[in-house]
Amino acid sequence: MRKSWGSPKEWKIVNILASLYRVRLLRFFIPAAVIGLIYWEAKKELRQVDFGRALHLFRSLPTGEWAWLLTISLLAVASMSVYDFLIRGLYRLPLRASDTFRYAWIANTTNNLVGFAGVTGASLRMILYRNKQVPSKTLFRAVAFLSPISITGLSVLAWLGIFEVIPMRSAYPSYSWQIVAAWAVALYLPAFAFFQRTPLFAKWFRRDEGRFTWKMIGYGIGSSFIEWFFAGITFWLISLAMLPSPISIGHAYSIYTVSAIAGIISLVPGGLGGFDLTALIGFRRFGYGPDHAAAVLITFRMFYYLVPWFIGLIISAFEFSNNRNVQGSKDDDDAEEMEKALTGWQKIWNWPGRVGFIGELGAWSLGKLVFLSGLTLLSSAATPGLWRRLHVAEEILSIPLMKLSLQLSVIIGIMLIVLSRGISLRIKRAYRWTLFLIVAGAIFTLIKAFDFEEAIFLLIVAVLLWLSRDRFYRIGVPFSREQIAKWGLATFLLFWIYDLIASRTHPGSTRRIPPNADIRWLFTPQEQQTTIILGLAIAWLIFSMLWVLRPVRMGRYGATQGQRLKLQSFLEVNQGNLLTHMLFSGDKSFYWAAEHQVLIPFAKVRNKLAILSDPIGKPELISGAIQEFQGYADRYALKVVFYQVSPEYLPIYHENGFRFFKLGEDAIVPLNTFTLSGKRNTNLRTVKNRFEREGFHFEVLKPPFNSIVIERLQKISNDWLKGRHEKGYSLGWFQETYLQLAPIAILKDGGGLIIAFATLAPGYDDGSTLSIDLMRHLKETPNGTMDMLFISLLDWAKENGYSRFNLGMAPLSRVGQSHGAMREEKLARLVFRYGSHWYGFEGLRKYKQKFSPAWEPRYLAYPRGLYLPTLLLELVWLISRRPRVPNESNS
């Protein structure tokens, strides 16, 4: 009788699984709750905002004002480099002033936009400074120093508001949650000053590196105050330019301070939503309309966040090396040290996740620049141009040509957004298309309305792409239905946003048409919708054609008969391993590395190439062969994982950047010591004697097998499968051509009928090892049938000169027993102990243990950055899916 689920021990599995996701859920719940609270309070202001009017106010800003405000904003962002100059001086980093400023700009602008708790900025500094040979220990201490310091400047502003140096209570009532949040941030400063002297604080923030000195504390607070002070100045000057009546510096600072606090506690990148909604409330309290307040926020976001980030992306595109280094153990060690350097509160929120993507920042930056180019074309097409420029364009160009350029701008914008992912992934064909489309987009945006700013930006991106042309080396990338659905949803979302902006900013809808203006070139709202629908249709039609006509380079799966014959010849001079015989089944592809001296068998699962066991070939060539295969996989943006590798090659995998998870242990019976004598083997002797008394007969058949034998084995196999389909990859399956390659052990009943069989797999190690492959029997067989088959097989193998017999792997055997084991391995240990409902993990080990095997561990080797639970599920699916072999007629 199956026992019920729910015992205290079994609930340990549930508790551990829950703990793995509790913090993740918290990371999403808190921002959602805070944003929901702010939205509830600001929904009245939001309903009154005319975003079309706000966008018009932003676009109609005089050029001189644009230049002045942009200059102030860039200077404010530049002031943030004081952090980097501070740690450069305190820790004596061997950096030039120009390098320090450049690295500060990249780290700070990216952290402003997408970072949380300084993790993004810390990650970027780690990579940038490491390239300048900064000692790792010094670098980790310097980066960790900035973590608790960055909020102290905002805390100073909060105290100024509490003491009414800036009129914070005039903007927000003293009983509101905003003031409570301001008090919380204000109290951070004295709490920081007090607790920094305690061992607990040193451990939490400094990783036992020691306490801060008061001098360091003073420098840090001063640096932080400079950042927040100049950001507030920028906010005030932008407010002066965009609001209909002047606003005092005190009022502007009160709005900015409380809004910044709301953005911090919302835990959203850049404070998006929390900052903006809170600012709308503050402007309303001082009597400013929502349209002008929204214009202030749009301008501030553009000048203080987006434009500096654009500049940072351009610098990043040049800064990072053209050559992509294969991630090695040093990178892994540094990444692990980076995780240690992060403070406790950063680890809790783990934003933005793993930092491994930073090594690809050059290509990542180019991809984001292309994405922004597409958005630029769409926003430019959705919003009307300046009337003076339109008048000049009308005199030079025809109205149909201007409308056609507008239509083409929309199409190119959508295509660039879709292509941006290919740029980030370094796809060669994506680079060629993108370069052509960006240049074309620059031309069309000039033709449609003389928007030379957008054209200049697009041409800058085109130049950056051309200068980086050597980076694009990948032939293709995996492209699943899920990804197609995501991009389809994203483009239709763009349709909705485009239509919303275009309808809100159309001159006819907002009565902003100058006298005697000719608006024949403008699209009506209905034409705008037709434009975006047609643009989407044409863009997706082109990409569908490219998808259908794309060169298929990874489409062939499995090994052809010719490749298997080559494998047979290869094994005559090279030793195999315990899983080598599975390669003859045909469902694994072969990659011949090191000038055909090393074989790497693999199968593709999603965006990964899973290699079965260790590479086969001369040991001294294995490391180079792995690097060669990593390069091959990287051309298609695929990850490499090794399944069921042996301990002897672990140092080689480690040197090539792999981490390890113990899958279980193989049961290897040493045949020279195997015997049925002794008290321990009484049960085995009893089984053998009973079957021999009842007339059962064991025999090993050697190929070729006649059709009568194959038909009988097929019947047994079908009865054993019970309608289930065969599995593959690391398991053999019933296929006549595969069965004809090795001996088959059979067990006959007293009447001479075969009731059970097991296919054998040679170890290709000079006749030393023999493994069991398929094991199948009729449903109605006596108890102990498989015991009898195993006993007879072991005796036969011993008599025929084999020294080892492999009974197969016991999954999760002796996994996670050490106190210092990985969290995933400890969870696997609980599954092994209490997971008998789903799979007989513990029972399988106990069954094989009665044959007195030696247990050899087997590992999964995978690169850093892969989420292990997902990877394990993908491997289970790979093994469980129906085996496929190449069609020889098409080979």
Side-chain angles (χ1 to χ4, degrees):
M1 179 178 178
R2 178 173 296 190
K3 64 178 181 178
S4 61
W5 169 263
S7 67
K9 288 185 177 180
E10 289 168 333
W11 276 109
K12 289 182 181 179
I13 299 175
V14 177
N15 291 333
I16 289 187
L17 285 171
S19 68
L20 294 177
Y21 294 98
R22 192 176 297 135
V23 171
R24 290 188 175 191
L25 292 175
L26 191 64
R27 291 209 317 268
F28 292 103
F29 173 76
I30 290 181
V34 173
I35 293 297
L37 173 66
I38 299 173
Y39 172 77
W40 179 261
E41 187 171 351
K43 61 182 180 180
K44 181 179 179 181
E45 284 74 18
L46 273 178
R47 284 197 297 265
Q48 296 175 353
V49 173
D50 182 351
F51 287 101
R53 174 66 173 163
L55 284 170
H56 176 73
L57 290 171
F58 169 69
R59 290 207 63 177
S60 60
L61 196 67
T63 304
E65 291 282 349
W66 270 64
W68 160 247
L69 293 177
L70 182 58
T71 301
I72 293 297
S73 301
L74 295 179
L75 289 174
V77 173
S79 71
M80 296 174 67
S81 64
V82 70
Y83 286 124
D84 294 79
F85 282 100
L86 174 62
I87 60 174
R88 172 176 174 255
L90 290 177
Y91 292 94
R92 294 180 175 84
L93 303 182
L95 298 172
R96 295 179 301 177
S98 57
D99 293 333
T100 304
F101 181 80
R102 193 167 65 251
Y103 297 166
W105 190 280
I106 295 173
N108 292 324
T109 56
T110 304
N111 193 76
N112 277 352
L113 196 70
V114 300
F116 173 79
V119 177
T120 304
S123 306
L124 285 166
R125 287 183 175 93
M126 292 290 298
I127 299 298
L128 291 162
Y129 289 1
R130 189 179 59 189
N131 290 340
K132 291 296 183 180
Q133 307 302 317
V134 176
S136 296
K137 185 176 181 180
T138 302
L139 179 55
F140 302 142
R141 292 179 62 192
V143 170
F145 166 74
L146 295 179
S147 299
I149 295 291
S150 58
I151 303 179
T152 56
L154 184 60
S155 185
V156 172
L157 290 180
W159 279 113
L160 293 177
I162 290 170
F163 287 110
E164 286 297 306
V165 177
I166 56 177
M168 193 164 60
R169 287 189 174 85
S170 300
Y172 303 92
S174 58
Y175 55 82
S176 68
W177 68 266
Q178 291 98 335
I179 298 301
V180 174
W183 267 104
V185 172
L187 291 174
Y188 176 82
L189 183 62
F192 168 73
F194 174 77
F195 284 109
Q196 65 89 22
R197 305 300 299 172
T198 66
L200 178 63
F201 186 92
K203 181 178 181 180
W204 186 248
F205 281 93
R206 298 276 288 159
R207 305 289 305 181
D208 293 324
E209 291 288 343
R211 302 168 184 171
F212 293 132
T213 65
W214 288 113
K215 184 178 181 180
M216 293 173 67
I217 292 296
Y219 284 150
I221 295 174
S223 300
S224 180
F225 182 74
I226 288 173
E227 172 197 352
W228 295 102
F229 173 78
F230 281 104
I233 289 290
T234 303
F235 186 81
W236 171 54
L237 293 175
I238 290 175
S239 299
L240 282 177
M242 303 303 298
L243 296 177
S245 59
I247 184 173
S248 70
I249 187 172
H251 288 172
Y253 258 107
S254 65
I255 296 173
Y256 174 75
T257 300
V258 178
S259 300
I261 291 171
I264 288 290
I265 65 173
S266 71
L267 308 175
V268 175
L272 189 63
F275 178 93
D276 308 278
L277 294 174
T278 306
L280 284 175
I281 297 172
F283 279 117
R284 181 199 64 182
R285 295 281 299 179
F286 288 125
Y288 296 103
D291 293 349
H292 288 88
V296 172
L297 296 173
I298 290 172
T299 308
F300 183 67
R301 288 288 185 185
M302 179 64 69
F303 288 171
Y304 189 77
Y305 287 90
L306 289 177
V307 173
W309 186 54
F310 295 163
I311 297 171
L313 287 176
I314 293 172
I315 297 172
S316 300
F318 282 111
E319 187 66 40
F320 288 86
S321 165
N322 286 337
N323 299 320
R324 181 183 184 276
N325 297 321
V326 178
Q327 189 179 25
S329 59
K330 183 180 185 302
D331 295 321
D332 281 346
D333 293 340
D334 285 347
E336 290 174 2
E337 290 295 330
M338 175 61 204
E339 292 179 2
K340 293 178 182 178
L342 297 180
T343 59
W345 62 285
Q346 290 172 325
K347 288 183 178 180
I348 287 177
W349 297 105
N350 192 28
W351 182 272
R354 296 185 179 272
V355 299
F357 81 96
I358 298 297
E360 290 284 342
L361 190 66
W364 184 85
S365 300
L366 288 170
K368 294 302 170 284
L369 285 170
V370 171
F371 185 87
L372 292 170
S373 299
L375 288 181
T376 298
L377 284 171
L378 287 179
S379 62
S380 179
T383 55
L386 300 178
W387 289 107
R388 285 184 303 167
R389 299 183 188 177
L390 290 172
H391 180 68
V392 174
E394 289 177 41
E395 293 183 354
I396 300 175
L397 305 169
S398 65
I399 290 177
L401 180 59
M402 294 171 66
K403 283 194 171 186
L404 177 63
S405 298
L406 183 62
Q407 174 76 72
L408 292 175
S409 295
V410 172
I411 296 172
I412 293 173
I414 295 171
M415 294 182 71
L416 287 176
I417 289 172
V418 177
L419 281 168
S420 63
R421 180 174 181 269
I423 295 298
S424 295
L425 294 173
R426 303 171 180 252
I427 303 173
K428 185 179 294 186
R429 296 172 71 239
Y431 158 74
R432 294 168 181 165
W433 273 88
T434 301
L435 188 62
F436 168 75
L437 290 173
I438 284 184
V439 174
I443 295 172
F444 292 133
T445 197
L446 275 175
I447 292 175
K448 75 174 181 64
F450 256 36
D451 289 330
F452 60 85
E453 298 95 342
E454 288 94 331
I456 291 173
F457 172 69
L458 292 172
L459 290 175
I460 290 174
V461 176
V463 171
L464 286 172
L465 278 173
W466 182 77
L467 292 174
S468 306
R469 58 190 179 278
D470 293 336
R471 296 184 183 184
F472 301 95
Y473 59 88
R474 283 180 175 147
I475 298 172
V477 293
F479 206 59
S480 64
R481 293 188 183 94
E482 179 184 355
Q483 290 170 326
I484 295 174
K486 286 180 180 179
W487 278 107
L489 180 63
T491 50
F492 282 104
L493 180 63
L494 285 173
F495 157 67
W496 177 77
I497 295 174
Y498 175 90
D499 182 60
L500 180 66
I501 295 175
S503 61
R504 292 290 185 90
T505 58
H506 191 275
S509 65
T510 53
R511 299 183 178 89
R512 294 191 300 272
I513 305 174
N516 303 321
D518 186 357
I519 61 170
R520 289 176 299 160
W521 77 276
L522 286 173
F523 286 154
T524 65
Q526 293 75 20
E527 288 176 325
Q528 290 279 17
Q529 292 182 352
T530 303
T531 297
I532 188 65
I533 292 173
L534 183 61
L536 282 169
I538 293 175
W540 274 98
L541 176 63
I542 292 173
F543 280 113
S544 298
M545 292 175 61
L546 291 174
W547 174 252
V548 172
L549 300 176
R550 73 193 187 285
V552 181
R553 302 179 185 272
M554 290 281 296
R556 174 180 290 180
Y557 53 84
T560 64
Q561 183 62 31
Q563 291 172 329
R564 281 174 271 177
L565 290 174
K566 181 179 178 180
L567 169 62
Q568 200 164 15
S569 301
F570 183 75
L571 292 173
E572 292 176 0
V573 294
N574 292 275
Q575 286 201 350
N577 54 54
L578 297 178
L579 295 177
T580 297
H581 190 69
M582 307 298 172
L583 307 185
F584 289 101
S585 62
D587 66 332
K588 270 77 65 179
S589 301
F590 294 169
Y591 181 85
W592 297 94
E595 299 180 351
H596 293 254
Q597 297 182 78
V598 176
L599 171 62
I600 299 179
F602 67 93
K604 183 174 177 292
V605 53
R606 297 196 66 184
N607 64 334
K608 301 167 187 70
L609 299 182
I611 298 161
L612 183 61
S613 193
D614 302 301
I616 305 170
K618 297 178 180 178
E620 63 270 18
L621 300 177
I622 297 298
S623 182
I626 291 173
Q627 294 171 24
E628 182 181 334
F629 187 74
Q630 286 176 312
Y632 168 75
D634 187 59
R635 289 165 60 195
Y636 301 94
L638 299 170
K639 299 292 185 180
V640 176
V641 298
F642 288 83
Y643 180 72
Q644 287 198 40
V645 299
S646 58
E648 61 181 304
Y649 284 124
L650 293 188
I652 294 177
Y653 295 123
H654 177 71
E655 289 172 2
N656 287 283
F658 289 91
R659 306 179 76 184
F660 308 107
F661 174 81
K662 188 178 180 182
L663 295 167
E665 294 179 318
D666 271 344
I668 309 295
V669 178
L671 296 175
N672 57 337
T673 60
F674 175 73
T675 179
L676 293 181
S677 61
K679 183 178 180 180
R680 183 173 61 178
N681 296 318
T682 301
N683 291 336
L684 296 180
R685 289 198 307 271
T686 301
V687 170
K688 182 177 182 182
N689 292 335
R690 175 166 60 86
F691 273 82
E692 288 179 349
R693 256 192 335 265
E694 294 176 2
F696 286 83
H697 174 68
F698 170 81
E699 184 179 351
V700 174
L701 306 178
K702 295 187 178 181
F705 310 113
N706 59 46
S707 58
I708 298 175
V709 172
I710 293 295
E711 288 175 6
R712 179 61 184 175
L713 300 182
Q714 181 75 70
K715 181 180 179 181
I716 296 172
S717 179
N718 292 340
D719 186 66
W720 184 84
L721 286 171
K722 300 176 183 178
R724 298 168 297 181
H725 68 76
E726 296 272 15
K727 297 182 179 181
Y729 185 63
S730 62
L731 304 172
W733 71 90
F734 198 97
Q735 178 193 26
E736 183 175 352
T737 56
Y738 177 64
L739 265 58
Q740 294 283 2
L741 297 176
I744 298 178
I746 60 173
L747 187 66
K748 295 181 180 179
D749 62 11
L753 286 177
I754 303 174
I755 63 168
F757 72 91
T759 62
L760 304 180
Y764 300 97
D765 54 356
D766 300 323
S768 175
T769 306
L770 191 65
S771 299
I772 200 163
D773 191 4
L774 293 180
M775 296 180 293
R776 297 190 177 175
H777 57 81
L778 291 174
K779 183 178 180 182
E780 301 297 333
T781 56
N783 289 335
T785 296
M786 298 313 294
D787 285 351
M788 179 62 184
L789 194 59
F790 274 122
I791 294 167
S792 303
L793 262 174
L794 292 170
D795 284 336
W796 179 87
K798 185 175 182 179
E799 292 170 2
N800 283 270
Y802 291 96
S803 60
R804 303 194 311 159
F805 193 93
N806 177 27
L807 297 177
M809 189 170 71
L812 305 184
S813 174
R814 297 180 63 82
V815 174
Q817 291 186 336
S818 171
H819 177 73
M822 296 170 54
R823 179 180 57 186
E824 293 85 356
E825 290 184 342
K826 290 180 179 179
L827 176 60
R829 179 62 182 168
L830 290 177
V831 173
F832 176 80
R833 293 181 60 187
Y834 305 117
S836 57
H837 297 291
W838 310 289
Y839 188 88
F841 296 104
E842 196 164 14
L844 183 59
R845 179 182 172 91
K846 288 181 179 178
Y847 178 81
K848 295 181 179 182
Q849 183 63 49
K850 62 185 176 182
F851 298 99
S852 303
W855 295 97
E856 293 186 3
R858 294 292 178 263
Y859 297 90
L860 173 69
Y862 62 98
R864 173 176 290 274
L866 294 184
Y867 185 52
L868 185 57
T870 302
L871 174 58
L872 292 174
L873 288 175
E874 290 171 344
L875 290 171
V876 169
W877 179 80
L878 172 63
I879 295 168
S880 301
R881 74 184 182 187
R882 192 182 301 275
R884 299 181 299 174
V885 295
N887 187 344
E888 298 294 339
S889 62
N890 296 331
S891 300

